[in-house]
Amino acid sequence: MAVIGIDLGTTNSACGVLGEEGVTLIPNRLGDVLTPSVVGLDSAGKLVVGRTAKERLINHSDRTVAAFKRLMGTDHKVALGRQMFSATELSALVLRSLKEDAEAHLGETVTEAVISVPAYFNDNQRHATKLAGELAGLKVERLINEPTAAAIAYGLHDKREGNFLILDMGGGTFDVSILEFFDGIMEVHASAGDNFLGGEDFVEAMIDSVLKEQGMGRDQLSPRQLQNLTMQMETAKRRISQHPEQRLQLEVGKQKIEWAATAEWFEKLATPLLLRSKRPIERAMRDADLPPQKIDEVVLVGGSTRMSLFRSMVGRMFGRLPSCHLDPDTVVAMGAAIQAGLKSRSAALEDIVLTDVCPYTLGTGVINEDSPEQGEYFMPIIERNTVVPVSVVRRVWTAHENQTEVRVDVYQGENRLVKKNVYLGETSVPVPKGPKGEEAVDIRYSYDMNGLLEVDVTVVSSGKTHNKLIEFSPGALNEEEKASALQKLSKLKFHPREDEENRALIARGERLYESSLGERRETIARLLGNFDRVLERQNPAEIKKARARLQEVFDELDGEDWI
Ligand code: ADP
Ligand code: MG
């Protein structure tokens, strides 16, 4: 039975399977290998996932959600129509859609998967991803870090060994990793990133610039206008290298304006963002202690690395062009598929060993005598980018007279104040009474391959050890809650697969209708009306022909194929 590999992205997801001939990327019900990570419910309460849902983001914003990967591992819920969903449940719906596509493509049931996660995902987020798999009917034997997956895809594809720098810029995040692939061992030397830098920020900067020029604020646009403007800028961004002089008709507030989206204009907006992206690259190189000439391959991953400005910046930093001969949109899914394939059959590749690093610094809080109002200082115990598994001890002393207990708070983060880091849990141990500073405890943090942290606290004077496994998972479910989530999700059904192309086309037409005015709008309404009538006659050949014709018209109206 095939095990599939899945890249569950913030913006897009993809899946693949390893066969005799290498990796096959699995097309979804619309024939695309990328499925937008967007979920919605239609008026009949049926589930809509992927491109159809993405087309519905404007017209049905109350019943459609995107970018929920950002909420993984939290207990935040979002509304979809009248129901509330967690990010885990929404991810489960995307996974279910991918699973069904894989089953249709392979002609067999699929029950197991390897899913990729960002290297910086913490324990809670990893658990949430595994749970999403379970809720979709997939056993997730292993999670693979996205950069590791990309490196595996490249390493095996090019049969190359050495140091890889992986730059992954997706829709909302930028991740940098340095890995070494040598003698069948893949070792992660460093990972860094910016959780708030991605393709969307370039679009936001474009919108800000247009509004500033018009002397307007975002609050003067209707939500619909803002969505339309976002989509127009998104398209312009993707076309800018090939079409450096685009004339756009924009509607801002009560005005209709013509806007020249030029390459110079875009470059000016993009420069500060590109400069920001240099910081994590430099940090990762410093952490890994590698000069640029020791990097054997710079690999580009994620849709935003298609921007030629990004590529040339990287080219200037490293004095050579980065590798991008594998599709940056699907290379992570390819790597996940390879890992999945290795799991399911014994192959020569079986012995790739992975070692990983802990992506954040883990530490505890200590008294801040300099400025107590700011709260405790953070005392790092395991530094970021330490190779795991790892175990480190630090000693602390009592801070008050006659103290009877020492509390060890566990935090992760890079700030010197604990309040600015992420709280993971705590444990307390009793200590013999005595003067301040007399009693000491040794705090040992052990971090294993799966990203689970264990804390041991030993009272030095008595030698007594207290042990605690830190489990702090907001959004985690017990068996009963899991069963009820499963039941809730299983009530949601897709329309028959065959209808999906028609539904996607209608959703696209409705989106175009919304964003047009006057004659263009009437034309779209007429075309959609005609298409409805064709559908009613239920003649497959006629439907196919009408669909192809309509698609062509929409492509023209959109300026380009819109994924
Ligand atoms: P994620 O990993 O977040 O799911 P992806 O790797 O799929 O994201 O990348 C999505 C981002 O890539 C979007 O912000 C999109 O605008 C951007 N993108 C895709 N193609 C291009 C292109 N040709 N030029 C510039 N940006 C692009
Ligand atoms: Mg991605």
Side-chain angles (χ1 to χ4, degrees):
M1 208 163 51
V3 182
I4 55 172
I6 297 177
D7 170 9
L8 182 62
T10 314
T11 322
N12 295 300
S13 296
C15 73
V17 64
L18 184 68
E20 295 304 322
E21 312 274 291
V23 175
T24 309
L25 291 164
I26 296 172
N28 63 20
R29 54 206 78 197
L30 297 172
D32 306 325
V33 293
L34 285 187
T35 298
S37 309
V38 186
V39 173
L41 292 178
D42 69 7
S43 51
K46 286 252 168 51
L47 199 55
V48 206
V49 170
R51 197 168 85 203
T52 317
K54 184 169 174 177
E55 294 283 17
R56 292 168 56 91
L57 266 173
I58 299 184
N59 304 8
H60 306 278
S61 53
D62 55 331
R63 339 184 97 238
T64 320
V65 283
F68 37 85
K69 182 171 169 181
R70 284 183 177 283
L71 301 173
M72 284 300 257
T74 69
D75 44 20
H76 190 90
K77 296 236 159 99
V78 287
L80 213 55
R82 263 178 269 133
Q83 268 172 296
M84 300 300 285
F85 290 86
S86 67
T88 310
E89 291 169 337
L90 296 167
S91 303
L93 295 173
V94 174
L95 290 171
R96 197 215 283 177
S97 177
L98 297 173
K99 168 178 152 51
E100 287 183 12
D101 290 333
E103 289 175 340
H105 180 80
L106 299 169
E108 59 176 297
T109 323
V110 174
T111 55
E112 253 184 279
V114 169
I115 303 180
S116 62
V117 290
Y120 62 80
F121 253 26
N122 64 29
D123 202 34
N124 303 334
Q125 295 166 307
R126 284 168 199 261
H127 278 303
T129 307
K130 269 195 157 173
L131 178 58
E134 252 178 81
L135 294 178
L138 287 169
K139 192 160 135 237
V140 184
E141 274 281 300
R142 118 159 254 169
L143 299 171
I144 182 172
N145 284 342
E146 288 165 10
T148 311
I152 288 183
Y154 265 96
L156 298 180
H157 186 267
D158 295 354
K159 310 234 166 348
R160 238 195 120 142
E161 300 205 315
N163 291 313
F164 289 72
L165 173 74
I166 317 276
L167 303 176
D168 180 352
M169 195 184 284
T173 52
F174 179 47
D175 304 313
V176 181
S177 309
I178 297 175
L179 297 95
E180 186 181 1
F181 193 23
F182 183 71
D183 246 4
I185 296 180
M186 180 81 74
E187 187 171 341
V188 183
H189 285 306
S191 62
D194 187 331
N195 284 349
F196 297 95
L197 177 62
E200 287 154 22
D201 297 289
F202 292 79
V203 173
E204 293 298 306
M206 294 163 90
I207 295 172
D208 286 343
S209 158
V210 170
L211 292 180
K212 190 161 169 223
E213 178 86 20
Q214 302 305 310
M216 290 177 77
R218 279 172 191 251
D219 50 351
Q220 286 166 276
L221 303 190
S222 67
R224 199 156 280 170
Q225 277 186 338
L226 191 57
Q227 277 278 12
N228 275 329
L229 194 56
T230 308
M231 263 186 236
Q232 284 177 294
M233 292 300 150
E234 168 74 31
T235 310
K237 175 185 79 171
R238 292 183 187 216
R239 288 160 52 101
I240 208 101
S241 323
Q242 264 87 42
H243 302 88
E245 300 271 346
Q246 301 174 51
R247 302 224 135 260
L248 309 176
Q249 315 286 333
L250 309 178
E251 199 192 328
V252 282
K254 297 205 172 61
Q255 317 167 49
K256 271 190 231 125
I257 57 166
E258 180 155 305
W259 186 264
T262 65
E264 294 82 61
W265 169 69
F266 182 67
E267 183 167 355
K268 202 160 147 234
L269 299 173
T271 304
L273 295 168
L274 292 170
L275 283 178
R276 247 173 79 192
S277 74
K278 276 181 146 179
R279 269 185 247 152
I281 302 180
E282 286 160 357
R283 189 170 106 180
M285 306 272 292
R286 251 195 332 269
D287 283 358
D289 203 13
L290 280 177
Q293 59 275 19
K294 281 276 175 62
I295 297 288
D296 299 291
E297 188 123 32
V298 180
V299 170
L300 299 187
V301 183
S304 299
T305 62
R306 289 186 185 278
M307 280 186 290
S308 57
L309 287 173
F310 184 85
R311 292 189 176 187
S312 33
M313 178 198 76
V314 174
R316 277 196 304 276
M317 278 180 95
F318 292 89
R320 81 196 106 127
L321 286 178
S323 301
C324 43
H325 51 274
L326 296 181
D327 181 350
D329 292 320
T330 52
V331 63
V332 170
M334 286 178 66
I338 293 171
Q339 184 70 44
L342 301 184
K343 242 198 77 20
S344 61
R345 66 196 166 97
S346 55
L349 309 170
E350 197 175 25
D351 42 322
I352 299 184
V353 183
L354 290 171
T355 68
D356 227 322
V357 293
C358 130
Y360 296 108
T361 300
L362 296 160
T364 188
V366 289
I367 287 239
N368 173 357
E369 281 173 346
D370 310 331
S371 42
E373 71 287 354
Q374 293 209 352
E376 294 192 325
Y377 276 138
F378 180 57
M379 179 178 88
I381 296 183
I382 298 179
E383 300 270 354
R384 70 164 188 267
N385 287 327
T386 305
V387 173
V388 294
V390 63
S391 188
V392 180
V393 189
R394 298 257 332 236
R395 181 167 290 187
V396 296
W397 285 266
T398 47
H400 308 287
E401 298 297 327
N402 292 326
Q403 192 172 333
T404 55
E405 193 181 67
V406 174
R407 204 180 75 217
V408 178
D409 294 322
V410 183
Y411 289 93
Q412 90 180 13
E414 310 306 325
N415 202 283
R416 73 195 171 87
L417 296 173
V418 292
K419 67 176 179 200
K420 299 215 169 137
N421 292 327
V422 180
Y423 170 79
L424 293 181
E426 65 181 58
T427 180
S428 288
V429 301
V431 288
K433 256 193 201 169
K436 168 178 168 181
E438 194 173 271
E439 284 294 327
V441 297
D442 281 340
I443 306 172
R444 175 184 292 279
Y445 278 16
S446 308
Y447 197 70
D448 74 5
M449 255 324 260
N450 296 314
L452 292 174
L453 179 66
E454 207 172 311
V455 178
D456 296 305
V457 184
T458 307
V459 180
V460 178
S461 61
S462 67
K464 199 159 184 259
T465 297
H466 304 259
N467 177 289
K468 178 157 176 152
L469 192 66
I470 296 297
E471 281 178 76
F472 177 73
S473 273
L477 305 183
N478 60 32
E479 286 309 314
E480 208 176 299
E481 290 163 330
K482 211 182 277 178
S484 99
L486 266 172
Q487 206 190 7
K488 166 169 142 200
L489 298 187
S490 66
K491 281 206 191 114
L492 301 175
K493 297 270 189 296
F494 292 108
H495 287 278
R497 298 177 65 79
E498 315 76 81
D499 291 348
E500 187 64 17
E501 285 192 60
N502 301 332
R503 314 188 72 78
L505 198 60
I506 292 169
R508 183 178 179 195
E510 285 172 350
R511 191 242 317 150
L512 280 166
Y513 177 87
E514 280 291 340
S515 63
S516 315
L517 287 170
E519 215 174 294
R520 193 169 125 126
R521 192 167 220 198
E522 280 163 31
T523 311
I524 297 167
R526 200 180 57 244
L527 290 168
L528 282 173
N530 290 345
F531 190 59
D532 276 342
R533 279 189 290 282
V534 173
L535 288 179
E536 273 161 29
R537 287 200 286 277
Q538 301 184 20
N539 173 346
E542 191 193 1
I543 292 176
K544 196 166 167 206
K545 231 164 92 195
R547 196 167 56 216
R549 258 199 327 264
L550 195 54
Q551 214 136 18
E552 245 173 62
V553 181
F554 287 172
D555 282 352
E556 217 163 280
L557 289 174
D558 254 334
E560 73 158 3
D561 221 358
W562 190 74
I563 287 194

